[in-house]
Amino acid sequence: MTTRPEIKCPSCGAPHTLSNPGIVMYSCEFCKSLVYWDKEKIINAGTVAALPEGFSRLYRGATGTLFNKRFSVLGRARYAFGRGFWDEWFVELHDGKTAWLSEDDHEFCLEGRIDGQLQIDPALLKPGSTLAVRGEQFTVEEVGQTRCLGIEGDLPKVVSPDESYRFADASSVDGKYSLGIELDAEKPTVYFGHWLKYASIQMDDEGEDWR
Amino acid sequence: MNPLERFAIGMGRKRPPFVPRNISCPDCGGKLEVPDERAQLVVCAYCSHKLDLTDAETKVLGAGPPRKWEFPLNIGDRFAWKGGRYEVTARMVEIEDENESEATRLYYLYSPRRGAMWLSEYGGSWDLSTTTHVKPKSNPFVAARGDEIETFDGRKWKWAESGVYELAYVDGALPWLARIGDRHSYAEFAEKGGTRTLEAESSGDEIEIGVVQPLTPKQVAEALGRTDVSPIPGVQAAEEDAGDQARRGRIVIAAACVAALVLNGLLYFWASGRGEERVRTDLEPAAMTAGAETKPFFVENPGSVIKVVLEAGGLSNAWMAVDVDLVRHEDGAEVHSYPATFEYFSGVEGGESWSEGSRDDTTFIKIAKDGWYRLRLQAVSAMGDATEATAAIHGLRVSVTDGAAIPKYFMIMSFLAGGLALVFGFSLLRQDEDDDDDD
């Protein structure tokens, strides 16, 4: 039997069980405080931007099947850009691995961070411009400034509400792959993903209200 | 709890009920329900003021559209499409060249589970549009009349039209701050060999590619749960759009081809068995070498077709060449001659048996004049790879049938009909798959 660690909210004292060792931040379900920790202590990031319930196919605590793997939705972060927002859903797979499902206009892509150096010149990232990554040709669809609107549930990284960075979104020219580029640091952070068809995700509880 | 139990079906949290966002208009105090949580713009249903929901506090952007437009669909109408329910959450009118008589009415169809689609109506014709990430290989905005472009999924599209749309009206709720007078460039391309349209739109900082499929008014009415879609005054409802006509045409041609395939198949079997056998005889190898004749047989009608079947049943890894002469019985005059060569090889290779060639030959001969005829045959045959022979070492069975029908034409027609049926069948399947891809 595995005992999952429990943390007490520094603001209200409510207990919170961590289901995955990769989690470093959560939004307290009771007082909505954002809580994260480092080696020495647990820190309260303040009562800001705990997201309300979302109404897409995914929701916190949902279970389902993705490419024959069972998954559970642990949390999400929402980012705003000029013409709306998108959600990054953090999911845990039954084998203990984790993944990000990025949702824009209720369309999902399964993303993973690309390690290593990628030579990307931010100045060349404009809508319609092209770049090659992992042997695929990508077209930039959108470039803009984004900021985090808030989080819900558990996350594997510390997201600072109101953190802001430039981004570029691209799709492979055949429409199969996605590319998310964060231009916040000295070198860009790049996420490579697969666009998912509706049937690729099977939720245990699809709900009856929008059928 | 076993760690894996958390992932078992039914162990997840129950889906929370959908709750639309409720706001109050800061101008008139009207209570508004906004289903799409991403909505940034709401036009108050009571005072028509435009409201900005981008920030936590609702702000009034200003007065609404300068004039009212009529729509056959209302905000909140439900639209059932491919197993999902959508709701009309916004309506727009776009015009071109400031000409209000050339208006396209657009309906934003929202589903929190499936995303958004655009339903549009122009001149009584309906379209359903979804965005795609598949890109054109060339810049669609520089294409002109007669140009073709190709998308990276291998499809080809022919330029149809391009121009600039201007937003003339908006109500409901949209996920961006639309303003009356907003303009965007567009270019449309008709699918080659299909019914869909590729649409490229550019608003400066964003390029969107969409795939548009035509809908009949009946399809729209069914999706809305109505018996029909009320026409807008001054706009004649299209009886049937080009896409539906093309689809119906394909179905009719494919059905006709299948019918022709079945008919010609039946005719083939009928022709194969038609006629009356006049002669059936077995000729020994020695007789074949020296030259043999069949018994005389009677051809009953002028213009009749006889079927001559030669069967070398004992031919195995060997070949046979036969000279066949059809002669008139009364004077021995040669009416028709032809060579018949057949070979049959078989064996076992890599544990699998194989065979090639044939042990028989069938020939149809049209006889101009009725009367008595006989066949004169001489043959040589040899085993294996021998290229020459001076004698026949195999026997031959000969049969003649009078009043035969030539079945090969029916077979050719069957192949043609089958091929056409496949072409049009695949074309229909591809159209259906294209529709499914839009999910």
Side-chain angles (χ1 to χ4, degrees), chain B residues 138-149 159 161-162 187-189:
Chain B
S138 54
N139 184 350
F141 296 103
V142 298
R145 185 180 299 277
D147 286 350
E148 284 182 12
I149 65 169
W159 182 91
E161 63 176 311
S162 59
E188 290 180 356
F189 301 82

Side-chain angles (χ1 to χ4, degrees), chain B residues 280-284 396-398:
Chain B
R280 176 178 283 263
T281 184
D282 291 319
L283 300 172
E284 295 298 319
L396 196 68
R397 172 171 289 178
V398 183

Side-chain angles (χ1 to χ4, degrees), chain B residues 104-137:
Chain B
T104 301
R105 287 166 173 80
L106 300 114
Y107 304 89
Y108 189 74
L109 300 175
Y110 168 76
S111 163
R113 311 282 154 75
R114 291 171 182 263
M117 301 190 294
W118 283 101
L119 178 69
S120 67
E121 176 273 324
Y122 172 77
S125 292
W126 294 85
D127 289 322
L128 193 63
S129 172
T130 50
T131 56
T132 175
H133 296 290
V134 181
K135 302 291 186 300
K137 289 184 175 177

Side-chain angles (χ1 to χ4, degrees), chain B residues 292-294 297 299 304-310 322-329 331-340 361-369 372-378 400 406 408:
Chain B
E293 290 189 349
T294 64
F297 55 86
V299 175
S304 182
V305 172
I306 63 165
K307 179 168 77 173
V308 179
V309 180
L310 309 178
V322 188
D323 286 328
V324 185
D325 297 325
L326 174 70
V327 297
R328 211 158 45 214
H329 180 56
D331 58 4
E334 197 174 292
V335 176
H336 184 82
S337 295
Y338 68 95
D361 174 83
T362 301
T363 302
F364 293 86
I365 304 167
K366 190 172 183 180
I367 308 294
K369 196 178 170 187
W372 287 90
Y373 294 85
R374 63 181 188 273
L375 286 178
R376 187 185 295 153
L377 306 106
Q378 188 169 25
V400 179
I406 304 173
K408 72 175 180 185

Side-chain angles (χ1 to χ4, degrees), chain B residues 29-53:
Chain B
K31 303 291 181 197
L32 302 169
E33 205 171 71
V34 185
D36 187 351
E37 61 173 336
R38 300 171 312 130
Q40 291 192 19
L41 171 79
V42 170
V43 178
C44 177
Y46 305 98
C47 68
S48 294
H49 272 88
K50 291 169 69 180
L51 312 177
D52 181 356
L53 308 187

Side-chain angles (χ1 to χ4, degrees), chain B residues 30-316:
Chain B
K31 303 291 181 197
L32 302 169
E33 205 171 71
V34 185
D36 187 351
E37 61 173 336
R38 300 171 312 130
Q40 291 192 19
L41 171 79
V42 170
V43 178
C44 177
Y46 305 98
C47 68
S48 294
H49 272 88
K50 291 169 69 180
L51 312 177
D52 181 356
L53 308 187
T54 309
D55 297 318
E57 185 188 352
T58 304
K59 292 180 223 160
V60 178
L61 281 174
R67 61 158 280 200
K68 271 280 183 192
W69 287 72
E70 288 183 89
F71 293 88
L73 273 63
N74 298 311
I75 300 291
D77 278 357
R78 293 181 174 191
F79 191 88
W81 191 250
K82 295 192 173 175
R85 179 167 78 78
Y86 295 78
E87 199 171 302
V88 176
T89 57
R91 304 183 299 186
M92 288 167 49
V93 174
E94 288 183 334
I95 59 172
E96 222 175 336
D97 303 326
E98 299 181 350
N99 183 357
E100 292 196 350
S101 64
E102 294 285 312
T104 301
R105 287 166 173 80
L106 300 114
Y107 304 89
Y108 189 74
L109 300 175
Y110 168 76
S111 163
R113 311 282 154 75
R114 291 171 182 263
M117 301 190 294
W118 283 101
L119 178 69
S120 67
E121 176 273 324
Y122 172 77
S125 292
W126 294 85
D127 289 322
L128 193 63
S129 172
T130 50
T131 56
T132 175
H133 296 290
V134 181
K135 302 291 186 300
K137 289 184 175 177
S138 54
N139 184 350
F141 296 103
V142 298
R145 185 180 299 277
D147 286 350
E148 284 182 12
I149 65 169
E150 187 178 352
T151 42
F152 277 92
D153 56 2
R155 296 180 196 278
K156 292 187 170 63
W157 311 79
K158 193 171 175 61
W159 182 91
E161 63 176 311
S162 59
V164 177
Y165 277 133
E166 181 183 331
L167 183 65
Y169 178 87
V170 62
D171 65 9
L174 277 174
W176 72 91
L177 297 174
R179 294 174 180 83
I180 302 301
D182 276 354
R183 287 166 173 259
H184 65 261
S185 305
Y186 75 92
E188 290 180 356
F189 301 82
E191 184 180 21
K192 291 193 77 178
T195 59
R196 303 187 308 166
T197 301
L198 185 78
E199 191 175 62
E201 290 189 5
S202 170
S203 56
D205 61 345
E206 195 175 8
I207 294 170
E208 274 194 359
I209 307 293
V211 175
V212 183
Q213 70 176 101
L215 298 183
T216 63
K218 189 179 168 204
Q219 282 177 298
V220 176
E222 282 174 357
L224 291 164
R226 302 180 188 173
T227 52
D228 58 19
V229 188
S230 309
I232 300 155
V235 176
Q236 190 70 35
E239 287 291 324
E240 189 175 47
D241 59 42
D244 196 57
Q245 282 177 3
R247 183 183 170 80
R248 183 165 299 177
R250 284 194 186 105
I251 291 172
V252 167
I253 293 172
C257 290
V258 170
L261 172 69
V262 171
L263 180 64
N264 282 285
L266 291 172
L267 285 171
Y268 173 80
F269 287 110
W270 168 80
S272 299
R274 192 169 181 267
E276 192 172 332
E277 190 173 270
R278 302 291 193 202
V279 168
R280 176 178 283 263
T281 184
D282 291 319
L283 300 172
E284 295 298 319
M288 293 299 307
T289 305
E293 290 189 349
T294 64
K295 291 177 185 171
F297 55 86
F298 189 69
V299 175
E300 203 165 310
N301 297 306
S304 182
V305 172
I306 63 165
K307 179 168 77 173
V308 179
V309 180
L310 309 178
E311 295 172 90
L315 205 67
S316 181

Side-chain angles (χ1 to χ4, degrees), chain A residues 7 52 64 74 91 110 148 193-194 203-204 209:
Chain A
I7 280 184
L74 297 186
V91 300
L110 180 62
C148 179
H194 296 248
M203 303 300 297
D204 292 348
D209 45 359

Side-chain angles (χ1 to χ4, degrees), chain A residues 134-210:
Chain A
R134 285 188 167 178
E136 297 288 337
Q137 189 187 349
F138 284 84
T139 301
V140 176
E141 293 178 330
E142 197 158 16
V143 176
Q145 189 79 20
T146 184
R147 66 189 167 89
C148 179
L149 288 178
I151 74 161
E152 179 191 10
D154 301 348
L155 289 182
K157 63 179 181 180
V158 176
V159 178
S160 168
D162 296 325
E163 77 176 22
S164 177
Y165 58 85
R166 283 190 66 221
F167 76 97
D169 281 341
S171 272
S172 63
V173 292
D174 60 4
K176 291 180 181 169
Y177 304 105
S178 68
L179 203 64
I181 306 170
E182 296 177 1
L183 301 162
D184 51 344
E186 286 179 15
K187 64 172 185 177
T189 308
V190 182
Y191 292 88
F192 187 95
H194 296 248
W195 287 112
L196 300 178
K197 291 200 165 192
Y198 183 87
S200 301
I201 304 175
Q202 289 151 16
M203 303 300 297
D204 292 348
D205 185 358
E206 288 282 10
E208 295 296 325
D209 45 359
W210 284 88

